[in-house]
């Protein structure tokens, strides 16, 4: 008997039973979800594209699948199911190479099992440690999806477009709502409709400083973090393309700079300026002019937006409230290290409830807080190995379609790492770290695909008389 007949009978029986217990609307939603999931399993690259758009536009929209998770991470999970199936039938053989960066990341993922177990045994607080651990590992795994799924220039271009479209949608919504009301609280009904979890936390964040632009990333510093991650890519992508792609890239870059200033994320602003100065040092064409135009744009915005004036005037002031909190966190951090030498694991985020300790607003120290000093050393090893492979070894005198994505990803990841000295979000914040590792994977793939164009050989040739 052909296999199609029993499969059809089983599916017919299953849907009949479901229709008996579910309302027509629930049944249609379930059927549509199943069809979408099967489509993504068959074409996992579509899952990566959907993740890229959702993760940048509505990152924390949730759904209930026995456990509560974000829609973007659910799509990522289905994408991995598709990758495993494609691997089973032999369609991914040879695409993933275990080079030093990948091996170091695997060691980081394996070691994280130790603080996970320790945290489950020693941290007495409510929290779903196993789920949080798996979600963190899945976010890191995006570095491996790049070589497995992005096999052609067209695939990579589609991914960049999905990322930029998601950012554009997020920026249009955020900037429009903020300019309309000048109050971050106006975003709350929209996020409620999008089924954001913990509405009380959203309310607290927006009410704490309603004059900072709200966005689907909720916290203004998170908004600043994701913008500095993508502004360099958007600028260089739009710079080297034509038509609608050029308009898309430049729109995201310009709106991103406006959103960055309106979110008043000090660490993100400083990090982006430092990256632009580094690009100027590398003689990337026109970066000096871009930096100058950015300063003019920022001054104009500051002149017409007093809250931004107040925020920037206290950017390095020790009397600033957030600065005082950070100094307090640093002074108490040795106590946390002494109490949790292997970290607190994944059951809860710092600080542990009823411990008398505080959290830490630093990417690097947050690794120690969560998975101990060995975890931090492994993360540093991954970043050092990544940098050794992708770094420019000389001046960059030309920006082309071939090197724009490489340089944009490098600049974005560097900006994210620099924000780590001011905030902790790129360490264990779900979805955001997934985008971080995705860009790291893209930069590695670009330098491996175009070693002659991007590597030391081309630089030396350009420097020859």
């Amino acid at each position: 008997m052909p296999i199609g007949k029993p499969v059809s009978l089983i599916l017919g029986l299953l849907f009949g039973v479901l229709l008996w217990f579910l309302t027509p609307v629930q049944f249609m939603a379930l059927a549509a979800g199943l069809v979408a999931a099967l489509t993504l399993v068959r074409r996992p690259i579509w899952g990566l594209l959907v993740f890229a758009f959702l993760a940048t536009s509505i990152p924390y929209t949730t759904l209930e699948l026995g456990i509560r998770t974000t829609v973007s991470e659910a799509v990522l999970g289905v994408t991995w199911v598709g990758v495993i199936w494609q691997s089973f039938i032999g369609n991914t053989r040879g695409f993933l190479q275990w080079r030093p960066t990948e091996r170091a990341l695997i060691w980081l993922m394996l070691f994280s099992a130790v603080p996970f177990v320790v945290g489950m045994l020693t941290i007495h607080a409510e929290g779903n440690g196993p789920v949080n651990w798996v979600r963190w590992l899945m976010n890191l795994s995006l570095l491996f999806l790049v070589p497995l799924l992005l096999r052609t220039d067209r695939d990579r271009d589609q991914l960049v477009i999905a990322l930029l479209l998601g950012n554009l949608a997020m920026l249009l919504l955020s900037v429009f709502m903020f300019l309309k009301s000048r109050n971050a609280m106006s975003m709350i009904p929209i996020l409620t409709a999008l089924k954001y979890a913990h509405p009380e936390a959203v309310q607290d964040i927006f009410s704490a400083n309603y004059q900072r632009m709200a966005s689907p990333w909720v916290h203004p510093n998170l908004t600043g973090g994701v913008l500095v991650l993508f502004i360099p890519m958007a600028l260089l992508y739009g710079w080297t393309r034509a038509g609608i792609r050029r308009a898309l890239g430049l729109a995201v870059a310009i709106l991103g700079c406006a959103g960055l200033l309106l979110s008043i994320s000090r660490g993100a602003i400083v990090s982006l300026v430092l990256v632009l100065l580094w690009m100027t040092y590398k003689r990337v064409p026109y970066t000096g002019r871009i930096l100058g135009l950015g300063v003019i744009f920022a001054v104009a915005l500051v002149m017409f937006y007093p809250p931004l004036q107040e925020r920037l005037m206290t950017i390095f002031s020790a009397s600033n409230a957030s600065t005082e909190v950070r100094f307090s966190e640093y002074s108490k951090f040795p106590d946390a290290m002494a109490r949790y030498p292997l970290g607190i694991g994944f059951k809860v985020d710092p600080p542990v409830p009823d411990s008398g300790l505080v959290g830490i607003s630093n990417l690097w120290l947050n690794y120690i807080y969560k998975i101990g000093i060995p975890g931090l050393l492994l993360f540093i090893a991954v970043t050092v190995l990544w940098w050794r492979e992708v770094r420019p070894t000389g001046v960059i005198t030309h920006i082309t379609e071939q090197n724009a994505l490489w340089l944009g990803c490098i600049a974005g990841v560097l900006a994210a790492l620099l924000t780590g000295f001011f905030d902790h979000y790129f360490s264990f914040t779900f979805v955001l770290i997934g985008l971080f590792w995705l860009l790291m994977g893209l930069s590695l793939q670009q330098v491996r695909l175009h070693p002659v164009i991007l590597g030391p050989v081309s630089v030396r040739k350009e420097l020859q008389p």
Side-chain angles (χ1 to χ4, degrees):
M1 177 186 296
I3 192 172
K5 289 186 177 180
V7 170
S8 300
L9 290 173
I10 293 172
L11 290 177
L13 179 62
L14 175 62
F15 284 125
V17 172
L18 291 174
L19 190 58
W20 182 269
F21 289 101
L22 300 177
T23 66
V25 174
Q26 291 174 328
F27 176 79
M28 292 299 294
L30 179 63
L34 182 60
V35 170
L38 291 175
T39 302
L40 297 184
V41 168
R42 183 172 175 269
R43 295 292 301 273
I45 188 174
W46 291 359
L48 184 59
L49 298 178
V50 172
F51 168 83
F53 178 79
L54 295 177
T56 47
S57 58
I58 47 172
Y60 297 121
T61 297
T62 63
L63 76 166
E64 193 76 34
L65 294 173
I67 57 171
R68 197 176 186 90
T69 186
T70 64
V71 175
S72 52
E73 287 174 298
V75 170
L76 181 57
V78 174
T79 301
W80 265 111
V81 172
V83 169
I84 293 171
W85 169 250
Q86 295 296 320
S87 178
F88 177 75
I89 61 178
N91 288 344
T92 61
R93 190 173 297 125
F95 287 107
L96 180 60
Q97 299 179 3
W98 296 103
R99 299 195 182 188
T101 306
E102 287 84 355
R103 291 198 296 268
L105 182 58
I106 285 293
W107 279 112
L108 173 62
M109 298 168 78
L110 291 174
F111 172 78
S112 67
V114 176
F116 162 68
V117 173
V118 171
M120 292 297 296
L121 296 175
T122 60
I123 302 300
H124 304 292
E126 292 185 5
N128 199 329
V131 171
N132 292 337
W133 183 44
V134 171
R135 290 175 69 188
W136 183 72
L137 294 176
M138 191 165 60
N139 276 264
L140 267 61
S141 71
L142 276 155
L143 185 138
F144 304 122
L145 281 182
V146 171
L148 288 171
L149 296 180
L150 303 180
R151 304 173 186 175
T152 66
D153 289 337
R154 182 173 180 270
D155 293 339
R156 286 178 284 278
D157 190 62
Q158 287 179 333
L159 178 66
V160 173
I161 290 173
L163 290 168
L164 295 182
L165 284 174
N167 275 287
L168 182 62
M170 181 270 293
L171 285 165
L172 288 174
L173 172 64
S174 303
V175 173
F176 172 76
M177 291 299 298
F178 193 67
L179 293 180
K180 179 182 177 183
S181 65
R182 297 291 183 90
N183 191 328
M185 302 289 283
S186 63
M187 184 66 74
I188 291 179
I190 296 175
L191 300 188
T192 302
L194 291 172
K195 299 188 182 301
Y196 269 48
H198 308 297
E200 69 288 345
V202 174
Q203 177 88 17
D204 289 342
I205 291 170
F206 288 160
S207 61
N209 195 337
Y210 67 91
Q211 294 178 318
R212 300 175 69 180
M213 186 188 77
S215 83
W217 288 96
V218 184
H219 199 288
N221 289 347
L222 263 179
T223 304
V226 76
L227 289 177
V228 298
L229 187 65
F230 286 105
I231 285 174
M233 173 197 284
L235 176 63
L236 294 174
Y237 181 82
W239 189 349
T240 56
R241 266 64 177 183
I244 191 66
R245 287 173 170 80
R246 183 183 184 86
L248 174 62
L250 296 181
V252 172
I254 294 170
L255 278 174
C257 291
L260 182 60
L261 291 170
L262 291 174
S263 69
I264 322 181
S265 176
R266 299 177 300 168
I269 293 170
V270 171
S271 299
L272 184 60
V273 170
L274 291 175
V275 167
L276 286 174
L277 289 173
W278 171 77
M279 293 173 69
T280 303
Y281 168 74
K282 285 294 181 180
R283 301 184 188 176
V284 176
Y286 304 112
T287 49
R289 298 181 187 179
I290 292 169
L291 188 59
L293 290 173
V295 170
I296 295 172
F297 177 70
V299 169
L301 186 59
V302 168
M303 290 176 61
F304 294 101
Y305 192 52
L308 184 56
Q309 298 173 14
E310 299 171 6
R311 181 77 174 178
L312 293 179
M313 286 176 63
T314 61
I315 192 168
F316 296 115
S317 174
S319 61
N320 179 270
S322 60
T323 303
E324 291 177 351
V325 169
R326 280 165 169 77
F327 282 139
S328 175
E329 291 174 348
Y330 280 103
S331 66
K332 297 177 181 178
F333 184 70
D335 296 336
M337 290 181 61
R339 191 177 302 185
Y340 306 108
L342 286 175
I344 64 173
F346 296 85
K347 185 180 288 187
V348 295
D349 288 325
V352 177
D354 302 321
S355 65
L357 300 171
V358 295
I360 188 69
S361 298
N362 183 291
L363 182 156
W364 317 93
L365 297 184
N366 198 45
Y367 263 92
I368 297 177
Y369 214 136
K370 291 282 286 184
I371 58 176
I373 291 177
L376 171 64
L377 295 177
L378 286 169
F379 174 71
I380 292 174
V382 175
T383 55
V384 169
L385 290 169
W386 164 79
W387 179 247
R388 288 178 61 183
E389 188 166 356
V390 304
R391 73 188 190 282
T393 56
V395 297
I396 304 169
T397 57
H398 298 89
I399 297 296
T400 65
E401 289 190 10
Q402 286 74 26
N403 67 10
L405 182 56
W406 161 73
L407 184 59
C409 289
I410 291 176
V413 173
L414 284 177
L417 292 173
L418 287 171
T419 63
F421 293 102
F422 308 96
D423 282 304
H424 64 279
Y425 299 116
F426 282 103
S427 53
F428 292 88
T429 302
F430 299 133
V431 183
L432 182 63
I433 60 171
L435 296 172
F436 171 85
W437 291 100
L438 178 61
L439 260 62
M440 185 177 282
L442 275 172
S443 63
L444 286 169
Q445 187 184 54
Q446 285 296 293
V447 81
R448 291 167 182 174
L449 288 174
H450 307 287
V452 176
I453 297 175
L454 308 181
V457 174
S458 65
V459 174
R460 284 199 298 266
K461 285 183 177 179
E462 289 179 1
L463 292 176
Q464 289 176 358

